[in-house]
């Protein structure tokens, strides 16, 4: 998510979320921090969405109400994807969505916004041009180039021609794959390779891919139809996207080519192609259920081939490995992107990116999209292409980059916009979950040990032996002696602490118990559970 | 770990551990299940260790006492690595370690064991040949080939000559990288590339690598010395391995080439090379501390170059990304194996592996080392090389593979040896931690909610409002109303449950509270913490 502010107007570009990672256990999504915008609600005139992927639209239901629900502009498919997602949030105010086409211009008081079409893995992806009196601000969105052997197609050349007569002040461009050499594999090559596989499949063919790789999923159906095969679509998000595609006429196959899974047995195995979600090894997705033998209809056997037509999203390496292992165990033959060109990313490689830089020809450059290290690599590329070092700013979350002196200089302000992560945790959306997350991490490592002590308020002695409750610490059935000793130590610690104490200082007793028991458990088990003493004084 | 049983004798090959992964939170290591051997202690005549890496020696301190502490045979460096590790386990029985050289033969009643030298990333790696009356069983250990442009060196050709006159019944060979095409990058090429980088470094050069890549770490010092630079060694395991190398004369550099970090400032930046652990982004390792600005002596600056001379171990992708991001943020220039040949794995690629198969020429084949999917790929390779399908068994953990009829057939028995994972969890070593691990996973997602209820045993009414304790659930300070409502619901649930109940059935009350509160919290927060009611009846 990027906000562009000029005089008293702000335009927001994209509104995605990040998926949870190993540092955010239990968290559903991570949202951009929008406090800066919330404090300037009146200035926010528009939200422009470059394409319909979750990392660009996912935060819309959470953020729009907070920034005054300004109008959202995007191309047709993107707007449909936004509306589909919105259905899951019935209580949120209706969005004001405006469909734009790339020839249109949206005008604001101080500037205008134009669009250009870009190639990505979903149709209707676009970049945008914000026209200001000092030059254009160009944001590419996610993009790659359609090309053959490193020569961009006529369509791309045509599309980028618009920049010939433009005065581009600032370029913000996709950095995701800028470290990879040369040009990316063009999608049409992936289609050709998948076609070979479909044609030659001697048994069932299962194609695991992302539902978000819209074009590819549609293409698999068209290819299958051409080779006289039937297609089964598995996985909720895949089914949704096929519905959308049908609705917008993006799917060129006949209706009867797609059959319900229940009819699979009417056809020979080599007439069946299954398009399924779960190529990341997601626990309950279609492909993983097949691998784990829990899929209701599809049992993997030795004549099946599985194409994993997707890359591995960072963080999913172990689950993809498990997926491949379990499919192998049942005898399936696996084809994946590391050994065969059955996947291509939607992001430009180094030489493609250089081509885009040359075509757009900006004065200033800010690399966007990708880990910080990638932004740095992209900045190095811009400099290698001749941009002066002081004209390039590597952004970080919350950074405020200013172009001043009527477009003569660019610099990062010293102060940042509020930028701590906003976490979606069940129904809570908050940026102050640090304590909770730290606790979860500790609980995951060593568990918890709760000590309940009933104390006689008159004597300071225990009314009965302490109750001990633990989860995630040690296997209690095997550790009866540990518990017995813990009870003895607790009794002694409490009674030593309260000896001749009047009135009872329960905080002091609690502290002593925590300290003694933590030490005792560490010594006996080499584990450090969260120890919580509860003292009930009667 | 593999056990080979022939008549009344068993030989164990390697005794490694697996690192903990996302499915085993809080666990230190995962050990092989050795129950089968524990029940046949008297048969275990020897443990043979192929090389000194932790995934081959790491379980020794845990398992040796359980299987009767049989003699361990290995080559010099491996035995030193085993002894070093054993120092961390002072209470364990002394090991009976015998140094063997590759020309030696160890004789047992029914068979003999011979060795051959293999190329890996640590010196003294070896494979072994178990001679039986029905032919040889060959285990390669971890290996690759030393070669130039795909032509194995004379040394390799020589070493594998021993198989020319042998009758090999069964080959067990390393599968780790068998999916990668061609030959692996030879280590001497990596050294050449690192030498270029060392020579041309205009500032400090920091080489992050595994301490276990013994040869490479030593080579960096020798190269640095040749170019008039000083070396600083950072990280405990790296320091230990340098000590061992010095002791065994494996380090060919002068003593004064390695300087303590405190003397760094006496030299110009371009005279300094730092060899550091932490290339996997391990939280407290040297390189990560530099990246996080918590290293006591080394602050990263814009003139530093960092070479990450290692691959990414599956599961560490996110931490390596964080490492690269944070080094970038401080301006360091990063060179890594995905963009430059500064790392080579210790495992043979496909064509190397094929060469090894041809040289050894076995009747039966069992692929070892690597994920199940890799074993399958390796099995496919063996078949492609001409081995009949029925002569190849893809093993799984605990599988018992039998060669019968005097070496005429091979098959997997239907029954498995005990094979559930043995987990090292602090000082506990056990194979029944399932409940504990499940709890840890639940605690990590949604935390815990403990309800302490003091009840009047006569009336069944609450003596006071319930005490609520929660960790890792929601941020309590922000949720006072939730807690207030929870207390009301608890009071009502308890008093409704105990109404006219005599005697009190506390289990019934507890169940009701758990159910009601779980539902209430889920509804209010969309989280499902572990709810534990404690009822104290007075």
């Amino acid at each position: 998510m990027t906000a562009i502010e000029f005089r008293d107007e702000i335009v927001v570009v994209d509104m995605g979320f990040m998926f949870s990672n190993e540092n955010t256990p239990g968290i559903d999504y991570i949202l951009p921090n929008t406090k800066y915008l919330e404090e300037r609600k009146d200035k926010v005139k528009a939200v422009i969405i470059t394409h319909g992927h979750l990392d660009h639209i996912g935060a819309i239901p959470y953020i729009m109400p907070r920034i005054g629900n300004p109008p959202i502009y995007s191309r047709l498919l993107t707007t449909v994807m936004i509306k589909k997602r919105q259905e899951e949030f019935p209580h949120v105010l209706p969005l004001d969505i405006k469909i734009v086409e790339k020839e249109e211009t949206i005008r604001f008081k101080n500037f205008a916004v134009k669009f250009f079409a870009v190639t990505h893995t979903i149709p209707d992806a676009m970049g945008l041009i914000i026209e200001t009196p000092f030059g254009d601000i160009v944001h590419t969105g996610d993009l790659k180039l359609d090309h053959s052997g490193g020569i961009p197609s006529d369509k791309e050349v045509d599309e980028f021609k618009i920049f010939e007569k433009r005065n581009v002040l600032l370029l913000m461009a996709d950095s995701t794959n800028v470290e990879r050499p040369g040009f990316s594999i063009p999608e049409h090559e992936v289609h050709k390779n998948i076609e070979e596989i479909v044609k030659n499949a001697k048994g069932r063919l299962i194609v695991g891919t992302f539902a978000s790789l819209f074009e590819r999923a549609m293409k698999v159906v068209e290819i299958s139809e051409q080779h006289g095969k039937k297609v089964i679509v598995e996985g909720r998000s895949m089914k949704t996207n096929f519905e959308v595609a049908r609705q917008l006429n993006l799917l060129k196959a006949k209706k009867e080519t797609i059959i319900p899974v229940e009819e699979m047995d009417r056809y020979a195995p080599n007439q069946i192609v299954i398009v399924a979600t779960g190529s990341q090894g997601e626990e309950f997705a279609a492909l993983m259920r097949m691998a784990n033998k829990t899929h209701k209809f599809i049992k993997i056997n030795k004549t099946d081939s599985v194409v994993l037509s997707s890359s591995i999203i960072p963080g999913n390496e172990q689950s993809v490995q498990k997926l491949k292992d379990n499919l192998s165990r049942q005898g399936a033959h696996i084809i994946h992107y590391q050994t065969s060109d059955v996947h291509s990313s939607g992001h430009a490689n180094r030489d493609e990116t250089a081509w885009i830089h040359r075509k757009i020809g900006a004065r200033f450059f800010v690399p966007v999209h990708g880990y910080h290290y990638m932004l740095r690599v992209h900045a190095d590329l811009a400099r290698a292409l001749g941009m002066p070092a002081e004209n390039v700013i590597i952004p970080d979350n919350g950074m405020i980059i200013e172009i001043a002196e009527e477009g003569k200089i660019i610099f990062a302000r010293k102060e940042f916009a509020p930028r701590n992560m906003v976490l979606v945790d069940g129904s809570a959306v908050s940026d102050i979950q640090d304590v909770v997350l730290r606790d979860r991490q500790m609980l995951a490592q060593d568990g918890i040990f709760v000590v309940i002590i009933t104390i006689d308020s008159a004597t300071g002695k225990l009314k009965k032996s302490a109750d001990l409750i633990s989860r995630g610490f040690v296997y209690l059935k095997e550790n009866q002696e540990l518990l017995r000793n813990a009870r003895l130590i607790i009794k002694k610690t409490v009674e030593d602490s309260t000896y001749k104490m009047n009135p009872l200082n329960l905080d002091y007793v609690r502290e002593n118990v925590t300290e003694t028991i933590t030490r005792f458990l560490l010594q006996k088990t080499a584990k450090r559970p969260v120890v919580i003493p509860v003292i009930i004084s009667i």
Side-chain angles (χ1 to χ4, degrees), chain A:
Chain A
M1 177 168 177
T2 310
I4 295 163
E5 186 170 2
F6 180 55
R7 291 181 182 150
D8 58 345
E9 292 179 312
I10 292 175
V11 167
V12 171
V13 183
D14 289 335
M15 206 170 268
F17 62 47
M18 220 164 84
F19 285 100
S20 189
N21 59 51
E22 57 192 16
N23 297 315
T24 54
I27 295 300
D28 303 305
Y29 313 115
I30 302 167
L31 306 181
N33 190 318
T34 49
K35 263 205 192 110
Y36 183 94
L37 298 176
E38 291 161 35
E39 290 161 3
R40 291 161 180 80
K41 246 183 240 187
D42 298 341
K43 286 183 153 192
V44 183
K45 300 302 173 200
V47 174
I48 298 168
I49 305 291
T50 58
H51 64 283
H53 282 159
L54 280 175
D55 54 335
H56 295 256
I57 68 170
I60 289 178
Y62 299 100
I63 292 178
M64 288 304 284
R66 298 177 168 216
I67 60 167
N69 212 21
I72 294 180
Y73 297 86
S74 200
R75 293 170 81 186
L76 179 61
L77 173 61
T78 312
T79 64
V80 175
M81 298 298 280
I82 294 170
K83 283 177 193 154
K84 273 271 165 207
R85 182 165 161 76
Q86 211 68 8
E87 287 169 12
E88 296 166 33
F89 297 81
H91 304 302
V92 170
L93 263 184
L95 298 174
D96 174 13
I97 300 182
K98 297 181 195 300
I99 301 172
V100 288
E101 258 326 306
K102 62 186 184 87
E103 296 73 22
E104 288 179 54
T105 302
I106 334 175
R107 293 191 189 281
F108 300 94
K109 206 171 61 194
N110 298 295
F111 53 88
V113 181
K114 290 194 149 69
F115 311 98
F116 59 104
V118 299
T119 303
H120 191 44
T121 52
I122 185 166
D124 282 3
M126 67 182 192
L128 51 98
I129 304 168
I130 301 178
E131 297 177 333
T132 80
F134 309 110
D136 299 334
I137 294 173
V138 175
H139 192 299
T140 65
D142 283 350
L143 87 169
K144 64 188 298 188
L145 292 175
D146 180 39
H147 69 96
S148 294
I151 297 166
S153 68
D154 294 348
K155 212 181 102 239
E156 298 283 9
V157 173
D158 243 39
E159 198 67 37
F160 280 88
K161 259 202 190 114
I162 50 162
F163 292 105
E164 278 176 10
K165 282 174 248 151
R166 290 205 155 267
N167 165 30
V168 179
L169 183 62
L170 168 68
L171 169 64
M172 284 181 278
D174 182 6
S175 314
T176 313
N177 284 346
V178 71
E179 205 182 23
R180 298 190 190 165
F183 274 64
S184 63
I185 304 166
E187 186 66 23
H188 57 78
E189 233 168 74
V190 172
H191 295 169
K192 216 172 60 188
N193 295 334
I194 292 180
E195 174 152 24
E196 278 305 298
I197 295 168
V198 170
K199 200 170 74 184
N200 297 322
K202 296 198 169 55
R204 269 192 316 199
L205 181 70
I206 301 164
V207 181
T209 188
F210 301 122
S212 62
L213 294 175
F214 218 91
E215 295 191 40
R216 191 170 312 155
M218 302 307 123
K219 199 72 192 180
V220 171
V221 180
E222 291 166 38
I223 290 170
S224 302
E225 182 176 286
Q226 280 156 28
H227 294 278
K229 308 205 179 195
K230 297 291 181 190
V231 177
I232 293 162
V233 178
E234 278 296 301
R236 198 176 65 97
S237 55
M238 195 67 89
K239 284 182 177 166
T240 305
N241 285 5
F242 269 94
E243 257 173 54
V244 170
R246 188 63 87 188
Q247 189 185 324
L248 300 187
N249 258 325
L250 293 167
L251 176 57
K252 286 169 193 80
K254 287 181 216 134
K255 263 217 155 121
E256 56 272 27
T257 297
I258 296 180
I259 60 164
V261 65
E262 293 86 348
E263 291 176 15
M264 183 169 62
D265 293 340
R266 295 196 201 156
Y267 301 88
N270 68 0
Q271 287 182 287
I272 293 291
V273 174
I274 299 166
V275 181
T277 56
S279 58
Q280 296 300 302
E282 303 96 324
E283 201 177 344
F284 300 109
L287 201 53
M288 199 63 170
R289 278 183 284 128
M290 297 177 209
N292 292 342
K293 305 187 187 182
T294 55
H295 196 285
K296 209 170 151 193
F297 296 100
I298 302 167
K299 307 263 164 276
I300 299 292
N301 65 52
K302 282 188 184 171
T303 63
D304 289 335
S305 297
V306 178
V307 177
L308 298 176
S309 178
S310 62
S311 57
I312 304 175
I313 293 177
N316 292 346
E317 294 80 3
Q318 292 183 43
S319 23
V320 173
Q321 188 59 54
K322 211 163 133 188
L323 175 71
K324 287 202 259 179
D325 285 348
N326 286 345
L327 289 169
S328 282
R329 273 202 180 83
Q330 295 174 60
H333 174 65
I334 300 173
I335 303 157
H336 62 89
Y337 82 112
Q338 285 155 326
T339 55
S340 185
D341 287 344
V342 291
H343 172 69
S344 161
S345 155
H347 306 273
N349 285 11
R350 189 176 176 84
D351 291 353
E352 269 166 289
T353 304
W355 188 91
I356 294 162
H357 275 255
R358 284 195 208 97
K359 284 287 171 190
I360 297 180
R363 170 184 294 186
F364 299 131
F365 175 57
V366 171
V368 293
H369 302 170
Y371 293 107
H372 190 88
Y373 170 66
M374 263 346 138
L375 304 183
R376 164 79 192 261
V377 170
H378 198 174
D380 290 344
L381 172 64
R383 290 187 201 114
L385 291 170
M387 189 163 291
E390 67 274 18
N391 287 13
V392 181
I393 304 284
I394 301 175
D396 220 330
N397 238 351
M399 188 184 274
I400 302 175
I401 297 171
E402 188 170 337
I403 298 177
E405 297 177 16
E406 305 199 326
K408 286 202 191 61
I409 59 164
I410 188 167
F411 60 94
R413 284 201 195 158
K414 284 214 180 72
E415 80 278 14
F416 279 75
R419 59 174 181 161
N420 33 350
M421 298 192 300
V422 176
L423 306 175
V424 178
D425 187 17
S427 48
V429 178
S430 154
D431 63 343
I432 45 158
Q433 303 265 10
D434 279 18
V435 192
V436 175
L437 289 189
R438 254 202 317 277
D439 280 347
R440 285 186 194 161
Q441 276 161 336
M442 291 195 318
L443 292 170
Q445 291 298 308
D446 299 283
I448 193 166
F449 193 84
V450 183
V451 178
I452 295 133
I453 302 164
T454 324
I455 205 171
D456 185 322
S457 60
T459 64
K461 296 205 177 229
L462 263 63
K463 295 279 269 189
K464 58 180 207 116
S465 188
D467 286 307
L468 302 179
I469 289 168
S470 122
R471 286 290 187 282
F473 165 48
V474 295
Y475 191 52
L476 290 188
K477 277 201 187 155
E478 278 195 331
N479 285 281
Q480 290 305 320
E481 202 193 318
L482 181 79
L483 297 184
R484 254 195 314 277
N485 288 332
R487 282 197 189 91
L488 292 177
I489 289 171
I490 292 163
K491 184 176 162 65
K492 188 169 174 342
T493 308
V494 172
E495 297 184 354
D496 284 358
S497 308
T498 57
Y499 180 66
K500 291 198 174 165
M501 183 189 258
N502 192 353
L504 289 180
N505 178 347
L506 292 186
D507 284 341
Y508 173 78
V509 179
R510 215 174 278 124
E511 248 168 59
N512 280 353
V513 171
T514 306
E515 205 191 301
T516 317
I517 286 297
T518 302
R519 203 170 47 224
F520 167 74
L521 297 178
L522 180 64
Q523 188 200 337
K524 290 292 174 195
T525 65
K527 303 290 289 179
R528 200 186 275 282
V530 176
V531 170
I532 302 183
V534 181
I535 303 183
I536 295 163
S537 157
I538 295 168

